[in-house]
Amino acid sequence: LKSPNYMFYKGGTLRFGKMMMLDAEMQIVDLDPKDPFTFDLDRYNEQLVAGYSRTLSDLGLEVFMRDIDKVGASMIARAPVGRAPVASGRTIDSAAGRLPVKPR
């Protein structure tokens, strides 16, 4: 991914929230490349929730984050409606309906 404002992590172990990435390959990209990326390690979860991420075919991760000083406004605009998905046996319950879960 080409972006002027990013952080790239490769190798080692990354832990964020309740997740752990072994042999890490993750790129964090600024959602607004027009200004410098302002990242706050103490408040990274707010930035993570205000953005989005996608898993790559090679199991790497791309994370798109808002600048910490822009998080407040984006969190209000992106407030979820309904309840968050919850694992329930072989399906995931979500506001959009029941989604099948593929077996491992």
Side-chain angles (χ1 to χ4, degrees):
L1 179 69
K2 293 181 180 180
S3 174
N5 304 332
Y6 68 92
M7 296 184 291
F8 185 76
Y9 299 88
K10 183 165 178 72
T13 301
L14 291 176
R15 191 186 68 148
F16 38 100
K18 295 180 180 182
M19 296 175 55
M20 186 176 295
M21 184 180 234
L22 306 174
D23 189 25
E25 190 166 320
M26 178 174 73
Q27 183 168 2
I28 299 174
V29 179
D30 185 0
L31 277 172
D32 185 3
K34 292 176 269 175
D35 59 9
F37 183 34
T38 51
F39 178 76
D40 186 334
L41 185 57
D42 292 331
R43 296 176 56 201
Y44 81 92
N45 191 57
E46 293 173 54
Q47 289 179 268
L48 189 60
V49 170
Y52 63 95
S53 62
R54 69 182 189 128
T55 303
L56 305 174
S57 61
D58 65 357
L59 301 179
L61 187 64
E62 279 183 322
V63 179
F64 298 84
M65 285 189 173
R66 295 232 173 270
D67 295 312
I68 191 63
D69 55 323
K70 297 176 184 173
V71 165
S74 66
M75 296 278 287
I76 293 167
R78 295 173 52 97
V81 177
R83 60 189 175 91
V86 177
S88 164
R90 309 230 6 109
T91 62
I92 295 177
D93 296 325
S94 73
R98 294 174 65 81
L99 308 171
V101 174
K102 292 183 180 178
R104 290 184 172 196

